[in-house]
């Protein structure tokens, strides 16, 4: 057995670059909480409306004026705003993603991901790696994050809205990818605010749609359908997709399977398989893990699932194995923004 050879020395410029890059990684949580404060105190909306000084924002938000000034200065260093005199600030297009009325708003995502529900389990992430188990029970004393949300409705509301933010951004692409010709009823399983199925209904005036989710979640979907004048073609079901799902021609599972382990995923898919009408199909919308070393959101989201839910992001072959165990087979793969749209139908 030969001893390992020492690594060659790095050039000085590489060392400096690597040091700076690692500092950015290590202090990433500082940025997370800075962005959270910017979202919570509505900086994007204030600057858009002309409330552009620390003193005015502090008065509107009941925050400390000096701390607010320092927050604005730091946000400027992050590219969220600019200032020519150090007192009056102007929001950038990046800050606009935290506005309430931005169609692709990430405001609630910024708030929910940095709130205690996610923040405290992530603080125990090394333990998740050591044990292979998610850390919600240890951090919150709940079996899973959804049980935690059921007892913390403010956080649940932000999380639901954040999922709607992400769904809304991809909903039009998903509706374009999924062919609903001949489909009578499409049901969004775990669909939160119903953005995906509502986009499908707008694209196909003949399509009826609905959402199955936990009882405290579905009122948001019903309200969204009413706001769009689609309530007559829309239904909500408060239930548990691990127990059963209502009959439908098309089931959409966006950002659902990645929350659960393989056995739980197969259980959900089997429930869909059992209730599918003749000729029906299942559409799974999730990230696909690419080759090792390929950059992107999927590997980091996989770490989020490891620490938060016990689920995982999967490669296409792993989805195929889930389908096979549930009596389904993959028939099509499409792309909707950052998501893969994987369609499956019952095996003979």
């Amino acid at each position: 057995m030969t001893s390992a050879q020492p690594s060659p020395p790095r050039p000085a410029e590489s060392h400096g670059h690597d040091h700076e890059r690692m500092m950015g990684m290590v202090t990433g949580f500082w940025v997370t909480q800075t962005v959270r404060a910017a979202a919570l105190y509505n900086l994007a909306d204030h600057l858009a409306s002309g409330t552009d000084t620390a003193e005015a924002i502090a008065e509107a938000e009941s925050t400390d004026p000096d701390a607010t000034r320092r927050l604005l200065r730091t946000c400027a260093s992050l590219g969220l705003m600019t200032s020519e005199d150090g007192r009056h600030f102007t929001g950038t297009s990046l800050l606009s993603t935290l506005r309430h009325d931005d169609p692709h708003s990430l405001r609630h995502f910024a708030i929910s991901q940095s709130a205690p529900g996610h923040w405290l389990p992530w603080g125990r992430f090394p333990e998740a790696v050591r044990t292979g188990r998610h850390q919600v029970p240890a951090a919150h004393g709940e079996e899973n994050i959804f049980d935690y949300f059921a007892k913390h409705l403010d956080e649940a509301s932000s999380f639901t809205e954040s999922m709607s933010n992400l769904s809304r951004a991809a909903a039009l692409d998903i509706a374009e990818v999924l062919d609903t010709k001949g489909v009578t009823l499409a049901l969004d399983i775990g669909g939160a605010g119903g953005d995906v199925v509502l986009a499908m209904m707008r694209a196909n005036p003949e399509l009826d749609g609905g959402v199955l989710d936990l009882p405290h979640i579905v009122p948001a979907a019903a309200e969204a359908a009413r706001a769009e004048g689609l309530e007559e073609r829309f239904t909500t079901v408060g239930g548990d997709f691990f127990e059963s799902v209502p009959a439908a021609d098309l089931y959409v599972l966006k950002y659902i399977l990645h929350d659960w382990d393989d056995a739980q995923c197969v259980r959900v898919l089997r429930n869909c398989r059992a209730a599918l009408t003749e000729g029906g199909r299942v559409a799974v919308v999730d990230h696909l893990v690419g080759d090792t070393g390929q950059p992107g959101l999927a590997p980091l989201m996989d770490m989020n699932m490891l620490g938060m839910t016990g689920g995982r992001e999967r490669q296409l072959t792993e989805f195929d194995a889930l389908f096979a165990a549930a009596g389904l087979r993959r028939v099509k793969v499409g792309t909707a923004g950052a998501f893969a749209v994987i369609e499956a139908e019952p095996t003979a």
Side-chain angles (χ1 to χ4, degrees):
M1 183 174 68
T2 59
S3 60
Q5 296 297 312
S7 300
R10 290 175 295 155
E13 61 272 17
S14 173
H15 176 79
H17 173 73
D18 289 343
H19 185 272
E20 181 179 351
R21 189 177 174 200
M22 182 54 67
M23 278 293 293
M25 291 181 175
V26 172
T27 61
F29 73 98
W30 298 358
V31 177
T32 299
Q33 291 295 354
T34 298
V35 171
R36 182 190 185 198
L40 280 171
Y41 297 128
N42 304 300
L43 300 190
D45 296 286
H46 284 306
L47 296 188
S49 69
T51 305
D52 65 351
T53 66
E55 295 80 8
I57 292 172
E59 182 176 359
E61 294 290 339
S62 299
T63 57
D64 178 81
D66 181 60
T68 303
R69 178 187 62 81
R70 293 162 64 188
L71 172 63
L72 293 173
R73 182 177 63 189
T74 301
C75 286
S77 78
L78 294 173
L80 296 172
M81 54 190 70
T82 60
S83 177
E84 293 187 1
D85 60 6
R87 184 166 184 268
H88 297 272
F89 292 82
T90 301
T92 64
S93 59
L94 180 59
L95 184 67
S96 291
T97 62
L98 298 181
R99 286 180 61 170
H100 283 80
D101 59 356
D102 189 287
H104 301 297
S105 177
L106 289 170
R107 179 178 183 272
H108 285 282
F109 190 69
I111 292 171
S112 67
Q113 292 299 302
S114 54
H118 280 77
W119 193 252
L120 296 181
W122 259 103
R124 298 180 54 85
F125 182 74
E127 188 69 7
V129 175
R130 189 182 71 80
T131 64
R133 295 193 294 269
H134 72 91
Q135 295 301 298
V136 170
H140 295 303
E142 301 290 348
E143 183 177 350
N144 58 60
I145 189 62
F146 305 106
D147 288 345
Y148 170 86
F149 284 146
K151 297 178 181 178
H152 298 80
L153 296 184
D154 286 347
E155 277 197 58
S157 177
S158 283
F159 180 76
T160 298
E161 185 60 33
S162 75
M163 292 299 99
S164 291
N165 289 159
L166 298 181
S167 294
R168 202 171 294 130
L172 294 178
D173 290 334
I174 295 170
E176 189 173 308
V177 168
L178 282 175
D179 182 6
T180 59
K181 189 183 304 180
V183 176
T184 300
L185 175 62
L187 198 61
D188 198 345
I189 304 299
D195 293 281
V196 171
V197 75
L198 289 171
M200 294 164 60
M201 293 168 66
R202 291 193 300 270
N204 179 357
E206 304 300 317
L207 179 67
D208 288 345
V211 164
L212 179 145
D213 213 316
L214 297 173
H216 67 277
I217 297 294
V218 292
E223 178 56 35
R226 280 193 296 271
E228 297 201 31
L230 297 173
E231 66 270 22
E232 292 185 4
R233 295 161 47 203
F234 191 81
T235 185
T236 59
V237 181
D240 181 350
F241 49 59
F242 288 116
E243 297 301 324
S244 65
V245 300
D249 308 302
L250 173 62
Y251 296 114
V252 179
L253 296 96
K254 178 186 176 293
Y255 252 22
I256 300 301
L257 295 189
H258 78 157
D259 284 330
W260 308 103
D261 65 29
D262 288 355
Q264 291 167 311
C265 289
V266 170
R267 186 173 174 184
V268 175
L269 290 170
R270 281 178 177 166
N271 287 340
C272 293
R273 168 68 180 87
L276 267 177
T277 58
E278 185 175 354
R281 67 192 193 278
V282 176
V284 172
V285 183
D286 252 322
H287 295 296
L288 275 182
V289 176
D291 295 334
T292 298
Q294 181 177 328
L297 180 61
L300 283 173
M301 185 63 77
D302 189 39
M303 297 296 91
N304 190 41
M305 296 301 103
L306 173 62
M308 289 300 308
T309 70
R312 63 177 61 226
E313 302 303 324
R314 294 175 171 88
Q315 296 178 310
L316 193 57
T317 54
E318 293 175 298
F319 280 111
D320 287 342
L322 298 180
F323 293 144
L328 299 163
R329 64 183 181 91
R330 171 168 54 91
V331 295
K332 186 178 179 182
V333 180
T335 302
F339 297 101
V341 181
I342 310 167
E343 299 181 50
E345 62 183 23
T347 53

mmCIF file of all heavy atoms in Angstrom, residues 6 9 24 42-44 60 77 85 91 97 104 106 119 128 145-146 151 170 174 238 311 313 340-342 348:
data_model
loop_
_atom_site.group_PDB
_atom_site.id
_atom_site.type_symbol
_atom_site.label_atom_id
_atom_site.label_comp_id
_atom_site.label_asym_id
_atom_site.label_seq_id
_atom_site.Cartn_x
_atom_site.Cartn_y
_atom_site.Cartn_z
ATOM 1 N N PRO A 6 1.007 14.213 -1.467
ATOM 2 C CA PRO A 6 0.493 15.531 -1.075
ATOM 3 C C PRO A 6 -0.024 16.296 -2.287
ATOM 4 O O PRO A 6 0.478 16.132 -3.405
ATOM 5 C CB PRO A 6 1.720 16.223 -0.462
ATOM 6 C CG PRO A 6 2.886 15.535 -1.087
ATOM 7 C CD PRO A 6 2.468 14.100 -1.275
ATOM 8 N N PRO A 9 0.882 22.588 -4.360
ATOM 9 C CA PRO A 9 0.483 23.897 -3.823
ATOM 10 C C PRO A 9 -0.357 24.670 -4.828
ATOM 11 O O PRO A 9 -0.138 24.578 -6.035
ATOM 12 C CB PRO A 9 1.824 24.594 -3.549
ATOM 13 C CG PRO A 9 2.798 23.907 -4.457
ATOM 14 C CD PRO A 9 2.347 22.485 -4.543
ATOM 15 N N GLY A 24 -17.932 33.326 1.553
ATOM 16 C CA GLY A 24 -19.305 33.538 1.106
ATOM 17 C C GLY A 24 -20.205 32.364 1.439
ATOM 18 O O GLY A 24 -21.361 32.546 1.829
ATOM 19 N N ASN A 42 -41.005 44.648 4.429
ATOM 20 C CA ASN A 42 -41.624 45.178 3.208
ATOM 21 C C ASN A 42 -40.777 46.260 2.528
ATOM 22 O O ASN A 42 -41.313 47.229 1.982
ATOM 23 C CB ASN A 42 -43.014 45.741 3.529
ATOM 24 C CG ASN A 42 -43.914 44.722 4.182
ATOM 25 O OD1 ASN A 42 -44.205 43.680 3.609
ATOM 26 N ND2 ASN A 42 -44.341 44.997 5.409
ATOM 27 N N LEU A 43 -39.449 46.080 2.523
ATOM 28 C CA LEU A 43 -38.582 47.099 1.944
ATOM 29 C C LEU A 43 -38.874 47.311 0.460
ATOM 30 O O LEU A 43 -38.849 48.455 -0.018
ATOM 31 C CB LEU A 43 -37.108 46.721 2.136
ATOM 32 C CG LEU A 43 -36.613 46.565 3.579
ATOM 33 C CD1 LEU A 43 -35.095 46.437 3.599
ATOM 34 C CD2 LEU A 43 -37.057 47.731 4.457
ATOM 35 N N ALA A 44 -39.151 46.238 -0.261
ATOM 36 C CA ALA A 44 -39.419 46.377 -1.701
ATOM 37 C C ALA A 44 -40.657 47.232 -1.947
ATOM 38 O O ALA A 44 -40.658 48.107 -2.824
ATOM 39 C CB ALA A 44 -39.593 44.993 -2.333
ATOM 40 N N ALA A 60 -42.879 53.461 9.666
ATOM 41 C CA ALA A 60 -43.968 52.653 9.111
ATOM 42 C C ALA A 60 -43.988 51.242 9.673
ATOM 43 O O ALA A 60 -45.055 50.649 9.856
ATOM 44 C CB ALA A 60 -43.854 52.611 7.588
ATOM 45 N N SER A 77 -25.372 46.717 -0.394
ATOM 46 C CA SER A 77 -24.145 45.978 -0.697
ATOM 47 C C SER A 77 -24.434 44.641 -1.358
ATOM 48 O O SER A 77 -23.586 44.083 -2.053
ATOM 49 C CB SER A 77 -23.326 45.764 0.587
ATOM 50 O OG SER A 77 -23.871 44.717 1.377
ATOM 51 N N ASP A 85 -26.803 59.062 -2.017
ATOM 52 C CA ASP A 85 -26.416 59.922 -0.905
ATOM 53 C C ASP A 85 -26.337 59.189 0.435
ATOM 54 O O ASP A 85 -26.051 59.792 1.463
ATOM 55 C CB ASP A 85 -27.383 61.106 -0.783
ATOM 56 C CG ASP A 85 -28.823 60.661 -0.532
ATOM 57 O OD1 ASP A 85 -29.056 59.451 -0.337
ATOM 58 O OD2 ASP A 85 -29.709 61.539 -0.536
ATOM 59 N N GLY A 91 -34.951 50.728 -4.986
ATOM 60 C CA GLY A 91 -34.911 49.282 -5.139
ATOM 61 C C GLY A 91 -34.461 48.864 -6.531
ATOM 62 O O GLY A 91 -34.727 49.550 -7.517
ATOM 63 N N THR A 97 -38.280 41.106 -6.536
ATOM 64 C CA THR A 97 -38.747 39.734 -6.326
ATOM 65 C C THR A 97 -39.302 39.542 -4.920
ATOM 66 O O THR A 97 -39.876 38.488 -4.628
ATOM 67 C CB THR A 97 -37.621 38.716 -6.563
ATOM 68 O OG1 THR A 97 -36.564 38.942 -5.630
ATOM 69 C CG2 THR A 97 -37.091 38.831 -7.986
ATOM 70 N N HIS A 104 -43.869 36.898 -9.857
ATOM 71 C CA HIS A 104 -42.915 35.846 -9.521
ATOM 72 C C HIS A 104 -42.312 36.092 -8.136
ATOM 73 O O HIS A 104 -41.154 35.744 -7.878
ATOM 74 C CB HIS A 104 -41.817 35.765 -10.572
ATOM 75 C CG HIS A 104 -42.319 35.494 -11.957
ATOM 76 N ND1 HIS A 104 -42.976 34.332 -12.280
ATOM 77 C CD2 HIS A 104 -42.295 36.249 -13.078
ATOM 78 C CE1 HIS A 104 -43.316 34.369 -13.560
ATOM 79 N NE2 HIS A 104 -42.918 35.515 -14.060
ATOM 80 N N LEU A 106 -40.929 36.101 -4.482
ATOM 81 C CA LEU A 106 -40.337 35.105 -3.588
ATOM 82 C C LEU A 106 -40.409 35.568 -2.134
ATOM 83 O O LEU A 106 -39.708 35.038 -1.274
ATOM 84 C CB LEU A 106 -38.881 34.844 -3.986
ATOM 85 C CG LEU A 106 -38.677 34.068 -5.287
ATOM 86 C CD1 LEU A 106 -37.218 34.093 -5.701
ATOM 87 C CD2 LEU A 106 -39.165 32.634 -5.154
ATOM 88 N N TRP A 119 -35.648 26.762 9.847
ATOM 89 C CA TRP A 119 -34.357 27.229 10.340
ATOM 90 C C TRP A 119 -33.781 26.317 11.420
ATOM 91 O O TRP A 119 -32.596 25.975 11.396
ATOM 92 C CB TRP A 119 -34.528 28.646 10.883
ATOM 93 C CG TRP A 119 -33.255 29.368 11.149
ATOM 94 C CD1 TRP A 119 -32.728 29.654 12.373
ATOM 95 C CD2 TRP A 119 -32.354 29.921 10.191
ATOM 96 N NE1 TRP A 119 -31.551 30.355 12.239
ATOM 97 C CE2 TRP A 119 -31.302 30.528 10.902
ATOM 98 C CE3 TRP A 119 -32.334 29.947 8.796
ATOM 99 C CZ2 TRP A 119 -30.242 31.163 10.257
ATOM 100 C CZ3 TRP A 119 -31.281 30.584 8.157
ATOM 101 C CH2 TRP A 119 -30.261 31.179 8.888
ATOM 102 N N ALA A 128 -28.475 15.093 10.611
ATOM 103 C CA ALA A 128 -29.215 14.417 9.540
ATOM 104 C C ALA A 128 -28.281 13.577 8.681
ATOM 105 O O ALA A 128 -28.623 12.461 8.271
ATOM 106 C CB ALA A 128 -29.951 15.456 8.682
ATOM 107 N N ILE A 145 -42.808 18.098 9.293
ATOM 108 C CA ILE A 145 -42.974 19.542 9.215
ATOM 109 C C ILE A 145 -44.434 19.934 9.032
ATOM 110 O O ILE A 145 -44.865 21.010 9.462
ATOM 111 C CB ILE A 145 -42.092 20.127 8.077
ATOM 112 C CG1 ILE A 145 -42.069 21.664 8.127
ATOM 113 C CG2 ILE A 145 -42.539 19.627 6.726
ATOM 114 C CD1 ILE A 145 -41.489 22.259 9.394
ATOM 115 N N PHE A 146 -45.220 19.055 8.423
ATOM 116 C CA PHE A 146 -46.623 19.389 8.187
ATOM 117 C C PHE A 146 -47.429 19.338 9.484
ATOM 118 O O PHE A 146 -48.365 20.120 9.673
ATOM 119 C CB PHE A 146 -47.194 18.465 7.109
ATOM 120 C CG PHE A 146 -46.378 18.522 5.838
ATOM 121 C CD1 PHE A 146 -45.537 17.480 5.488
ATOM 122 C CD2 PHE A 146 -46.424 19.645 5.025
ATOM 123 C CE1 PHE A 146 -44.760 17.544 4.347
ATOM 124 C CE2 PHE A 146 -45.647 19.727 3.878
ATOM 125 C CZ PHE A 146 -44.813 18.670 3.534
ATOM 126 N N LYS A 151 -49.874 23.339 13.728
ATOM 127 C CA LYS A 151 -49.927 24.007 15.030
ATOM 128 C C LYS A 151 -49.356 25.428 14.994
ATOM 129 O O LYS A 151 -49.379 26.133 15.996
ATOM 130 C CB LYS A 151 -49.160 23.173 16.066
ATOM 131 C CG LYS A 151 -49.774 21.798 16.310
ATOM 132 C CD LYS A 151 -48.948 21.004 17.310
ATOM 133 C CE LYS A 151 -49.547 19.615 17.549
ATOM 134 N NZ LYS A 151 -48.718 18.806 18.484
ATOM 135 N N ALA A 170 -44.133 28.602 -12.457
ATOM 136 C CA ALA A 170 -44.002 27.474 -13.387
ATOM 137 C C ALA A 170 -45.337 27.005 -13.945
ATOM 138 O O ALA A 170 -45.367 26.196 -14.878
ATOM 139 C CB ALA A 170 -43.332 26.297 -12.674
ATOM 140 N N ILE A 174 -46.175 24.452 -17.071
ATOM 141 C CA ILE A 174 -46.729 23.117 -16.814
ATOM 142 C C ILE A 174 -48.015 22.919 -17.603
ATOM 143 O O ILE A 174 -48.249 21.871 -18.214
ATOM 144 C CB ILE A 174 -46.969 22.917 -15.310
ATOM 145 C CG1 ILE A 174 -45.633 22.945 -14.545
ATOM 146 C CG2 ILE A 174 -47.694 21.598 -15.038
ATOM 147 C CD1 ILE A 174 -45.789 22.995 -13.043
ATOM 148 N N GLY A 238 -60.614 18.228 1.348
ATOM 149 C CA GLY A 238 -59.732 18.185 2.505
ATOM 150 C C GLY A 238 -59.513 16.734 2.892
ATOM 151 O O GLY A 238 -60.442 16.044 3.290
ATOM 152 N N GLY A 311 -37.363 12.995 2.724
ATOM 153 C CA GLY A 311 -37.527 12.711 1.303
ATOM 154 C C GLY A 311 -36.218 12.912 0.559
ATOM 155 O O GLY A 311 -35.147 12.983 1.142
ATOM 156 N N GLU A 313 -34.529 14.305 -3.646
ATOM 157 C CA GLU A 313 -34.641 14.545 -5.082
ATOM 158 C C GLU A 313 -34.133 13.294 -5.790
ATOM 159 O O GLU A 313 -33.249 12.605 -5.287
ATOM 160 C CB GLU A 313 -33.832 15.765 -5.498
ATOM 161 C CG GLU A 313 -34.228 17.052 -4.788
ATOM 162 C CD GLU A 313 -35.686 17.422 -4.943
ATOM 163 O OE1 GLU A 313 -36.257 17.181 -6.033
ATOM 164 O OE2 GLU A 313 -36.272 17.952 -3.983
ATOM 165 N N ALA A 340 -39.002 18.993 -14.176
ATOM 166 C CA ALA A 340 -39.341 17.940 -15.122
ATOM 167 C C ALA A 340 -40.803 17.570 -14.910
ATOM 168 O O ALA A 340 -41.282 17.533 -13.776
ATOM 169 C CB ALA A 340 -38.457 16.719 -14.909
ATOM 170 N N VAL A 341 -41.519 17.334 -16.001
ATOM 171 C CA VAL A 341 -42.909 16.875 -15.945
ATOM 172 C C VAL A 341 -42.915 15.440 -16.454
ATOM 173 O O VAL A 341 -42.740 15.188 -17.642
ATOM 174 C CB VAL A 341 -43.836 17.773 -16.796
ATOM 175 C CG1 VAL A 341 -45.273 17.286 -16.694
ATOM 176 C CG2 VAL A 341 -43.722 19.229 -16.365
ATOM 177 N N ILE A 342 -43.075 14.499 -15.520
ATOM 178 C CA ILE A 342 -42.931 13.085 -15.833
ATOM 179 C C ILE A 342 -44.323 12.440 -15.795
ATOM 180 O O ILE A 342 -44.971 12.405 -14.748
ATOM 181 C CB ILE A 342 -42.022 12.383 -14.801
ATOM 182 C CG1 ILE A 342 -40.723 13.179 -14.615
ATOM 183 C CG2 ILE A 342 -41.707 10.956 -15.243
ATOM 184 C CD1 ILE A 342 -39.920 12.754 -13.403
ATOM 185 N N ALA A 348 -50.468 -2.636 -17.902
ATOM 186 C CA ALA A 348 -51.569 -3.546 -18.259
ATOM 187 C C ALA A 348 -51.827 -4.550 -17.143
ATOM 188 O O ALA A 348 -50.932 -4.954 -16.427
ATOM 189 C CB ALA A 348 -51.212 -4.278 -19.546
#
